[in-house]
């Protein structure tokens, strides 16, 4: 099964692992356990217990292999350290760059201008 998972801890590609991940699967590079909250689709620090799945039992240690039945590996689980600026920028780029086809009239000039301004902003830090 093709997938594009990366290690939540070091960002190494996990393409050679087959899905579903076994409970004791670990990263070939840093040997972090992978069946963990940090690697999970439902993981979110914005909600109570850091899990968006309301039924799942609370898992105390988000970085150790869990027995959670709701575990679902999440692509892009890896977060670059100190990536707020990077994330803000990619969010903006997503906004400007990936408008759904057909829903809005494309305005290439306005988009390009806004983008140039953004580039300027980020360069000045
Ligand atoms: Zn790793």
């Amino acid at each position: 099964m093709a997938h594009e998972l990366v290690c939540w801890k070091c960002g190494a590609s996990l393409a050679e692992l087959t899905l579903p991940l076994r409970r004791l699967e670990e990263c070939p590079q840093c040997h972090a356990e992978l069946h963990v909250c940090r690697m999970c689709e439902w993981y979110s620090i914005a909600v109570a217990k850091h899990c968006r799945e309301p039924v799942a039992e609370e898992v105390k240690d988000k970085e150790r292999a869990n027995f959670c039945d709701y575990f679902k590996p999440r692509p892009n689980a890896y977060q670059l350290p100190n990536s707020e600026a990077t994330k803000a920028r990619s969010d903006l780029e997503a906004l400007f760059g990936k408008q759904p086809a057909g829903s809005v009239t494309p305005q290439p000039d306005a988009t390009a201008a806004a983008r140039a301004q953004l580039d300027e902003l980020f360069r000045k830090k």
Side-chain angles (χ1 to χ4, degrees), residues 7-12 14 27-32 34:
C7 173
W8 60 270
K9 196 167 196 177
C10 73
L14 304 178
C27 172
Q29 184 156 305
C30 74
H31 299 287
L34 297 176

Side-chain angles (χ1 to χ4, degrees), residues 86-101 103-108 110-112 114-115 118 122:
T86 316
K87 185 179 182 310
R89 184 180 183 137
S90 65
D91 283 353
L92 284 166
E93 284 190 343
L95 272 177
F96 285 113
K98 289 184 188 165
Q99 291 170 346
S103 65
V104 287
T105 313
Q107 295 177 303
T111 307
R115 202 171 200 147
L118 280 170
F122 277 95

Side-chain angles (χ1 to χ4, degrees), residues 66-121:
N66 60 46
F67 289 93
C68 186
D69 289 335
Y70 297 91
F71 177 76
K72 191 177 169 197
R74 171 169 57 111
N76 310 319
Y78 179 61
Q79 293 274 322
L80 280 171
N82 197 15
S83 65
E84 259 174 62
T86 316
K87 185 179 182 310
R89 184 180 183 137
S90 65
D91 283 353
L92 284 166
E93 284 190 343
L95 272 177
F96 285 113
K98 289 184 188 165
Q99 291 170 346
S103 65
V104 287
T105 313
Q107 295 177 303
D109 289 342
T111 307
R115 202 171 200 147
Q117 281 181 352
L118 280 170
D119 284 346
E120 196 59 33
L121 273 176

Side-chain angles (χ1 to χ4, degrees), residues 38-49:
R38 289 286 294 269
M39 187 72 195
C40 180
E41 181 75 41
W42 300 109
Y43 178 74
S44 167
I45 55 172
V47 296
K49 300 177 188 174

